[in-house]
Amino acid sequence: KITDPNNIVVASDGSIYIAVNTGNGSKGDSVIKLDAAGTKLAASAELKEAFGVCIVGEYVAACSFNGSSSEVAIYNQSDLSKVTSVVYPDAKKFAQLGLIGDKLYVLDSNDKIITSSPIKIPEKAVDTDKAPATADALSVTVLALAASAAAIVVAKKRH
């Protein structure tokens, strides 16, 4: 049973992604993918306190509203297999995220906005079982997002 849809986004192929609660969280517990008609469950991924979703190139990014364990998780659009995630020590309870141009924005419940450095979106999703040893565009993106978050937190503490 699906309850409490928190956010919805539609990919260019019409697939629908929603942060939902299937009964294991107060905000949400999963990200689901529905077919373009919205009638068939195509994939799902667990994410404790799932709250926001957005399309990032060939990926789906989702954030969690989970206190000190809040994270931004990155999934392949095709099957919602998890590619990576980022946790920010001084930002908690992520309420929303979105991609504008080449920057990913994450909003936490304390009105703190985390902004990534400009990112390059890879054209094809990374197969985590065959990931190259060298950094690809996604890992550079994740590192840039983490570095930006740290810089913003430090700047806010100084003011």
Side-chain angles (χ1 to χ4, degrees):
K1 181 179 178 183
I2 295 173
T3 61
D4 301 325
N6 294 312
N7 195 263
I8 185 171
V9 65
V10 179
S12 60
D13 69 356
S15 297
I16 302 165
Y17 300 88
I18 310 171
V20 299
N21 190 340
T22 62
N24 295 318
S26 63
K27 300 289 183 208
D29 58 19
S30 301
V31 175
I32 63 168
K33 175 184 178 180
L34 301 175
D35 65 1
T39 58
K40 181 180 175 189
L41 181 65
S44 67
E46 289 185 18
L47 178 62
K48 189 170 183 181
E49 304 301 334
F51 207 71
V53 294
C54 78
I55 301 296
V56 180
E58 294 297 315
Y59 303 100
V60 175
C63 63
S64 65
F65 196 88
N66 193 26
S68 61
S69 297
S70 294
E71 67 177 299
V72 173
I74 309 292
Y75 302 97
N76 285 307
Q77 279 189 31
S78 60
D79 60 1
L80 290 180
S81 58
K82 193 171 190 178
V83 176
T84 193
S85 65
V86 180
V87 176
Y88 306 99
D90 291 333
K92 297 171 178 43
K93 297 184 178 178
F94 297 144
Q96 189 54 271
L97 75 167
L99 184 72
I100 301 174
D102 61 357
K103 292 185 180 182
L104 184 65
Y105 295 83
V106 181
L107 176 67
D108 78 1
S109 64
N110 295 319
D111 298 327
K112 186 183 301 178
I113 298 174
I114 301 166
T115 309
S116 74
S117 299
I119 58 175
K120 179 182 176 186
I121 305 299
E123 293 196 20
K124 187 164 180 153
V126 174
D127 181 344
T128 55
D129 293 332
K130 300 175 185 173
T134 58
D136 62 8
L138 181 63
S139 59
V140 170
T141 297
V142 170
L143 291 173
L145 187 57
S148 295
I152 289 168
V153 169
V154 168
K156 284 193 134 239
K157 286 183 178 179
R158 288 184 182 159
H159 292 160

